């Protein structure tokens, strides 16, 4: 029973971070209709930013949120403006040009980071990295708890932004109907920059939060990109609420697969779930709940 | 016979005579790889360029083929050459259920599903150690010492692949594929069973890719999951071969294959040794570090190439040939 509870808690805490990653991806998907296959790589860049801030300035990883999020936000805006938007107007046979472009961007980001930091594993050890406390027999990792709380905070901020502000309303309107939104006076170009920046900033937050508990290396982006799209398929494409469900579900599935089957199956489990959802519940949570 | 066929036959003639004139294993090796990429790129072009269903997971079929050939010899002692045709069968067996599940997805979502298939296959080959030897990989003895037999075998495969694609695209199926690419709903509404024809297209592509994988096993004599199921070196390379050459053209992927093999080699050898030797002779420190980086940077090169090609040459060298020549002429006039 303890093992079960312990796994449940670990899965839930991890799921909070996954929700953050998935929300960023699903926002981009909802507004631009593209799958950002550079998502995990943007997260990796944020992780290296956090690492550098710690190594050079001795900055606490959690404070780096205030560096990594704006920097990646601007990087995301630039990518959307100069690399993705121009493709909308070019005549091509392949409809997935933008998705292919994100693959290329992801490769460039990974290799540039490899140049600067080499392929070695790096980690940031803080005083609280290994801190845990116990309730009965069940351990709670302190950094994971902090991460979970910050993830919830960032998500709430995002919802406030989407629901209450003008820009947030424009984003939601564009996601629902691009042409109608443009007719209502929403600047579609600007909305796409902001959305991509926002999605990138969210995944950057997740990356920074991972730094104290995880190690980092340039190829870490790929697995997280794959997790992000599994989350989006689980939650229903373009649904922010769905992405939170999807993130928590994936966190739980991975935790249970790792505990009850074998460590190696952690990543496989997510992909199996992905195929199961496609088979039995195409449309994901969004179809069940309608949000 | 139109002009492109004449050029193609001329090039084929030159390539068939090449090993008789130049006896250099290194160039033969590069050409063998290029021919293998002609097969894979052309197959990718059928499903992605002609049918409009972009696959990000060609390595799944390639690796399946390579492992089929390798395991046949490793477990049963049957020559891996039997694995080459068998690889076509096993890749088809993988493609059928996959297509059945995933062709309910459209566009980019199908692309993601192929990416997932790629990863599932890689993890399976790594985890299932009793059967595949996991990360250790599979080693078999090569049949021929000389590269010449391999050269002609894979040249034959490349020619057969291009002929198959030409024939398919001239048949009724080809027109169905194009109509699916242009507008799935319209195709469906005029009575084309889009799922069936997408399956046919995927099956042909998967079988050809699997055969290329089987050949790779025979030629290299060694495979492991990281090599044959590699996302960057197989799946992305297949896409690059297709888009650099030109999607939706018969000879595009063939041109792309040669360009990409040269680019890959250019990075791997540091500009064919030019940068390295320049660095050594001049003793310049900047050049030395540059040469060192260059040899490690082929993935970066691929990434930049993806970005540049999609941005400026979206239809590839063959597809945008008129635009390239027009630019060239304008450049000469001014």
């Amino acid at each position: 029973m303890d093992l079960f509870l312990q796994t449940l808690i670990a899965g839930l805490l991890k799921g909070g971070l996954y929700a953050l990653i998935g929300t960023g991806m699903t926002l981009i998907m909802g507004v631009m209709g593209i799958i950002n296959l550079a998502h995990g790589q943007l997260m990796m860049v944020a992780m290296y930013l956090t690492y550098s801030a710690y190594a050079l300035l001795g900055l606490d990883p959690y404070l780096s949120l205030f560096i990594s999020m704006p920097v990646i936000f601007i990087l995301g805006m630039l990518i959307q403006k100069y690399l993705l938007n121009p493709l909308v107007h070019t005549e091509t046979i392949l409809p997935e040009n933008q998705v292919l472009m994100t693959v290329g961007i992801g490769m460039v980001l990974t290799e540039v980071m490899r140049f600067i930091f080499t392929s070695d594993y790096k980690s940031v050890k803080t005083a609280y990295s290994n801190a845990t406390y116990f309730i009965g027999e069940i351990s709670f990792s302190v950094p994971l708890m902090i991460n979970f709380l910050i993830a919830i905070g960032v998500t709430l901020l995002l919802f406030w932004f989407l629901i209450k502000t003008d820009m947030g309303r424009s984003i939601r309107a564009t996601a629902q109907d691009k042409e109608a939104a443009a007719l209502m006076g929403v600047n579609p170009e600007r909305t796409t920059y902001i959305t991509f920046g926002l999605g990138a900033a969210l995944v950057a937050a997740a990356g920074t939060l991972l730094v104290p508990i995880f190690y980092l290396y340039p190829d870490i982006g790929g697995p997280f990109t794959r997790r992000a799209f599994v989350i989006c398929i689980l939650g229903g494409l373009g649904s922010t609420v769905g992405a939170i469900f999807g993130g928590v579900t994936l966190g739980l599935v991975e935790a249970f697969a790792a505990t009850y089957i074998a460590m190696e199956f952690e990543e496989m489990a997510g992909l199996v779930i992905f195929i199961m959802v496609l088979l039995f519940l195409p449309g994901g949570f969004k179809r069940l709940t309608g949000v | 016979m139109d002009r492109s066929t004449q050029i193609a036959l001329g090039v084929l003639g030159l390539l068939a005579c090449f090993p008789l004139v130049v006896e250099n294993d290194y160039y033969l090796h590069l050409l063998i790889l290029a021919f293998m990429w002609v097969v894979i790129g052309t197959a990718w072009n059928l499903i992605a360029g002609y049918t409009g269903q972009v696959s990000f997971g060609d390595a799944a079929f390639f690796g399946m083929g390579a492992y089929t050939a390798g395991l046949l010899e490793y477990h049963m002692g049957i020559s891996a050459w039997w694995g080459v045709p068998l690889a076509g069968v096993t890749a088809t067996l993988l493609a059928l259920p996959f297509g059945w599940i995933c062709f309910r997805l459209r566009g980019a979502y199908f692309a993601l599903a192929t990416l997932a298939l790629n990863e599932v296959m890689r993890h399976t080959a790594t985890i299932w150690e009793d059967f595949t030897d996991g990360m250790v990989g599979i080693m078999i003895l090569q049949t021929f010492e000389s590269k010449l037999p391999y050269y002609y075998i894979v040249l034959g495969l490349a020619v057969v692949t291009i002929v198959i694609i030409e024939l398919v695209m001239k048949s009724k199926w080809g027109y169905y594929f194009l109509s699916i690419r242009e507008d799935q709903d319209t195709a469906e509404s005029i009575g084309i069973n889009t799922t069936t024809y997408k399956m046919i297209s995927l099956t042909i592509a998967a079988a050809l890719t699997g055969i290329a994988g089987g050949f790779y096993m025979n030629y290299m004599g060694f495979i492991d999951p990281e090599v044959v199921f590699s996302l960057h070196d197989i799946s992305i390379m297949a896409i690059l071969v297709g888009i650099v050459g030109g999607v939706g053209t018969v000879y595009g992927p063939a041109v792309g294959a040669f360009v990409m093999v040269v680019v890959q080699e250019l990075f791997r050898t540091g500009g064919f040794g030019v940068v390295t030797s320049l660095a050594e002779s001049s003793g310049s420190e900047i050049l030395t570090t540059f040469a060192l980086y260059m040899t490690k940077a082929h993935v970066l090169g691929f990434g930049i190439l993806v970005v540049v090609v999609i941005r400026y040459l979206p239809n590839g060298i063959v597809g945008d040939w008129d635009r390239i020549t027009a630019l060239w002429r304008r450049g000469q006039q001014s």
Side-chain angles (χ1 to χ4, degrees), chain A residues 1-289:
Chain A
M1 193 60 200
D2 280 345
L3 184 65
F4 178 81
L5 274 181
Q6 182 71 67
T7 314
L8 187 74
I9 302 242
L12 275 178
L13 292 182
K14 204 156 72 163
L17 276 187
Y18 284 179
L20 211 52
I21 300 171
T23 321
M25 183 113 150
T26 213
L27 260 185
I28 295 172
M29 204 179 288
V31 173
M32 273 83 80
I34 61 163
I35 293 164
N36 173 23
L37 288 182
H39 209 60
Q41 281 78 357
L42 285 166
M43 185 184 112
M44 180 265 309
V45 175
M47 290 175 85
Y48 273 109
L49 277 173
T50 310
Y51 170 79
S52 317
Y54 175 81
L56 300 175
L57 310 170
L59 202 63
D60 187 278
Y62 288 120
L63 288 176
S64 294
L65 278 177
F66 296 104
I67 299 175
S68 69
M69 283 178 73
V71 171
I72 302 294
F73 180 83
I74 291 168
L75 180 65
M77 282 204 357
L78 293 177
I79 288 175
Q80 180 68 30
K81 182 164 188 184
Y82 293 105
L83 294 174
L84 293 175
N85 271 345
L87 296 181
V88 177
H89 308 294
T90 42
E91 275 290 312
T92 58
I93 295 171
L94 280 186
E96 277 81 31
N97 258 359
Q98 290 181 318
V99 182
L100 280 172
M101 181 62 110
T102 61
V103 175
I105 295 167
M107 285 162 87
V108 171
L109 290 177
T110 308
E111 295 308 310
V112 168
M113 288 300 136
R114 203 195 305 283
F115 269 180
I116 304 174
F117 296 99
T118 72
S119 296
D120 298 344
Y121 283 46
K122 304 248 195 295
S123 66
V124 171
K125 281 276 160 272
T126 51
Y128 48 78
S129 275
N130 292 322
T132 42
Y133 66 89
F134 288 86
I135 297 180
E137 289 288 302
I138 295 150
S139 68
F140 288 80
S141 144
V142 173
L144 269 176
M145 293 293 287
I146 302 175
N147 284 351
F148 190 69
L149 293 178
I150 296 181
I152 291 178
V154 173
T155 315
L156 287 178
L157 259 177
L158 173 80
F159 274 87
W160 171 80
F161 174 79
L162 286 177
I163 294 169
K164 291 287 177 193
T165 63
D166 262 5
M167 197 60 230
R169 289 198 183 107
S170 311
I171 291 175
R172 284 190 299 141
T174 316
Q176 279 173 10
D177 190 331
K178 197 167 268 174
E179 274 145 31
L183 287 175
M184 296 299 128
V186 173
N187 180 342
E189 288 270 307
R190 208 176 59 137
T191 311
T192 57
Y193 312 152
I194 306 273
T195 311
F196 201 101
L198 207 60
L202 285 173
V203 80
T208 301
L209 293 180
L210 264 177
V211 168
I213 49 168
F214 218 62
Y215 41 88
L216 58 158
Y217 54 98
D219 288 317
I220 201 173
F224 279 95
T225 302
R226 288 193 282 281
R227 286 193 179 109
F229 79 66
V230 172
I231 294 167
C232 291
I233 298 275
L234 269 172
L237 302 160
S239 157
T240 25
V241 180
I244 295 171
F245 276 117
V248 174
T249 313
L250 183 68
L252 287 172
V253 167
E254 281 192 356
F256 278 100
T259 312
Y260 288 98
I261 308 175
M263 269 317 272
E264 293 95 10
F265 285 89
E266 198 183 14
E267 225 193 308
M268 271 276 264
L271 297 170
V272 171
I273 289 289
F274 169 74
I275 303 221
M276 301 284 270
V277 170
L278 291 182
L279 266 177
F280 300 112
L281 188 69
F285 284 112
K286 195 177 164 189
R287 203 169 96 178
L288 286 182
T289 56

Side-chain angles (χ1 to χ4, degrees), chain B residues 52-66:
Chain B
Q53 310 298 315
V54 177
S55 155
F56 277 71
D58 263 29
F61 304 117
F62 181 81
M64 186 79 182

Side-chain angles (χ1 to χ4, degrees), chain B residues 4-321:
Chain B
S4 57
T5 322
Q6 284 169 357
I7 297 175
L9 284 177
V11 172
L12 179 63
L14 282 179
L15 287 174
C17 301
F18 180 80
L20 307 176
V21 185
V22 184
E23 285 182 24
N24 180 317
D25 273 359
Y26 175 65
Y27 291 125
L28 284 188
H29 172 71
L30 286 191
L31 282 171
I32 289 171
L33 287 184
F35 294 146
M36 190 186 85
W37 281 107
V38 171
V39 177
I40 302 170
T42 309
W44 180 84
N45 189 32
L46 179 69
I47 180 73
Y50 284 124
T51 321
Q53 310 298 315
V54 177
S55 155
F56 277 71
D58 263 29
F61 304 117
F62 181 81
M64 186 79 182
Y67 265 97
T68 303
L71 291 173
L72 199 65
E73 172 144 345
Y74 183 72
H75 282 301
M76 295 192 255
I78 302 170
S79 161
W81 287 107
W82 288 106
V84 176
L86 193 65
V89 177
T90 51
T92 307
L93 290 180
L94 178 64
L96 285 176
F98 174 75
W100 179 72
I101 296 174
C102 294
F103 273 131
R104 60 187 76 192
L105 303 170
R106 285 193 178 188
Y109 307 125
F110 172 76
L112 284 185
T114 57
L115 196 79
L117 179 71
N118 189 161
E119 290 308 302
V120 169
M121 294 298 292
R122 189 165 60 84
H123 284 296
T124 310
T126 314
I127 295 173
W128 198 0
E129 283 178 352
D130 300 337
F131 188 56
T132 63
D133 265 10
M135 292 301 283
V136 180
I138 291 176
M139 188 130 99
I140 61 169
L141 281 179
Q142 284 142 303
T143 327
F144 309 110
E145 242 174 69
S146 149
K147 292 205 185 290
L148 219 57
Y150 295 106
Y151 183 89
Y152 285 111
I153 290 169
V154 72
L155 178 62
L157 279 180
V159 172
V160 168
T161 306
I162 291 180
V163 170
I164 288 177
I165 300 298
E166 275 251 46
L167 289 179
V168 167
M169 289 317 294
K170 277 186 184 145
S171 70
K172 196 170 71 177
W173 287 359
Y175 291 100
Y176 287 172
F177 294 163
L178 289 181
S179 72
I180 291 169
R181 178 185 82 193
E182 292 305 321
D183 193 331
Q184 255 185 73
D185 295 319
T186 313
E188 188 84 51
S189 70
I190 55 172
I192 296 170
N193 188 340
T194 50
T195 313
T196 310
Y197 284 97
K198 281 192 274 187
M199 291 274 280
I200 292 174
S201 174
L202 179 70
T203 311
I204 300 172
L208 289 170
T209 313
I211 288 171
F215 170 80
Y216 182 84
M217 175 79 246
N218 276 292
Y219 175 58
M220 299 304 274
F222 173 75
I223 53 169
D224 74 32
E226 295 293 320
V227 173
V228 292
F229 290 116
S230 159
L231 185 64
H232 287 157
D233 291 339
I234 308 289
S235 294
I236 303 283
M237 176 91 166
I239 297 173
L240 270 169
V241 163
I243 59 174
V244 167
V247 286
T249 58
V250 176
Y251 298 110
V255 174
F258 284 93
V259 174
M260 284 314 295
V261 168
V262 169
V263 169
Q264 194 178 30
E265 206 56 20
L266 194 73
F267 275 100
R268 208 179 58 77
T269 56
F272 293 118
V274 173
V275 180
T276 326
S277 58
L278 262 181
E280 269 166 22
S281 57
S282 65
S284 146
E285 230 171 78
I286 300 166
L287 266 180
T288 318
T289 23
F290 181 70
L292 196 71
Y293 274 145
M294 194 166 171
T295 50
K296 287 183 198 161
H298 83 271
V299 178
L300 177 64
F302 281 11
I304 293 172
L305 206 63
V306 173
V307 173
V308 171
V309 167
I310 293 179
R311 182 77 179 75
Y312 297 104
L313 271 184
N315 294 315
I317 297 172
V318 174
D320 276 336
W321 186 248

